[in-house]
Amino acid sequence: MSNKMPGKALFYIISLSTVAILLIAYTLYIMDWTQLSWVPVLIFLVLIIAADSFPVNLPRGGKVTVSFATIAASILLFQPIIVICISIALELVLIVQSRERVKHIFNAAQFAVSTGFAALVYSNLAPTNISFSFAHIPAFIAAMVTLFILN
């Protein structure tokens, strides 16, 4: 039995990876580096790696991670490129360590696209004032809908 990937699957993974790379390039371009504080980013990186490292077993089989809350909070707190970096951190480590590189490349691209677009939706719809208010709720709901649709 051959382990060769079907052409359509390979095309899909390459296309998704291309979109992810373009999105990363765009979010790097629009990043306001003066607002970056490394300590919160490092805390969220630790949280997302911990959440992804300890999956929860489902009663009828399968596993799920509990990283959604960390990603949702990062969308509220950080600029889009930081959200992307936080969401793909563990997958980048697994690309290097694992033999299933294609799986982790796909996962990283998919996380980059879904969280990146959700973060862009939030950053474009949220009020520009720094303090959180009820006016942020529609932007957050739109970002979560985007995340669910693309995920």
Side-chain angles (χ1 to χ4, degrees):
M1 188 165 140
S2 174
N3 287 335
K4 188 172 180 176
M5 182 177 297
K8 288 181 181 180
L10 184 60
F11 176 77
Y12 180 71
I13 292 170
I14 291 171
S15 299
L16 184 64
S17 298
T18 302
V19 171
I21 290 167
L22 292 172
L23 183 62
I24 289 168
Y26 175 71
T27 56
L28 278 169
Y29 176 74
I30 65 168
M31 172 73 177
D32 181 4
W33 295 98
T34 60
Q35 293 183 359
L36 179 62
S37 177
W38 286 104
V39 173
V41 173
L42 293 174
I43 290 170
F44 271 78
L45 283 171
V46 169
L47 286 173
I48 196 77
I49 290 172
D52 280 343
S53 296
F54 302 105
V56 176
N57 292 320
L58 298 174
R60 296 184 184 196
K63 295 179 182 178
V64 65
T65 62
V66 291
S67 59
F68 175 78
T70 306
I71 292 171
S74 69
I75 288 171
L76 288 172
L77 298 173
F78 301 114
Q79 295 182 59
I81 188 61
I82 303 301
V83 176
I84 292 171
C85 291
I86 288 169
S87 69
I88 67 172
L90 183 61
E91 292 300 327
L92 294 177
V93 172
L94 294 175
I95 288 171
V96 175
Q97 293 179 347
S98 176
R99 293 182 189 204
E100 299 176 326
R101 284 189 174 90
V102 173
K103 171 186 168 185
H104 297 296
I105 289 170
F106 169 80
N107 286 344
Q110 190 272 327
F111 289 150
V113 168
S114 62
T115 60
F117 277 114
L120 282 171
V121 165
Y122 180 76
S123 67
N124 285 315
L125 295 179
T128 56
N129 59 357
I130 294 174
S131 62
F132 186 79
S133 70
F134 286 113
H136 287 83
I137 293 174
F140 183 68
I141 291 170
M144 293 301 99
V145 168
T146 302
L147 183 64
F148 279 118
I149 289 171
L150 295 178
N151 200 8

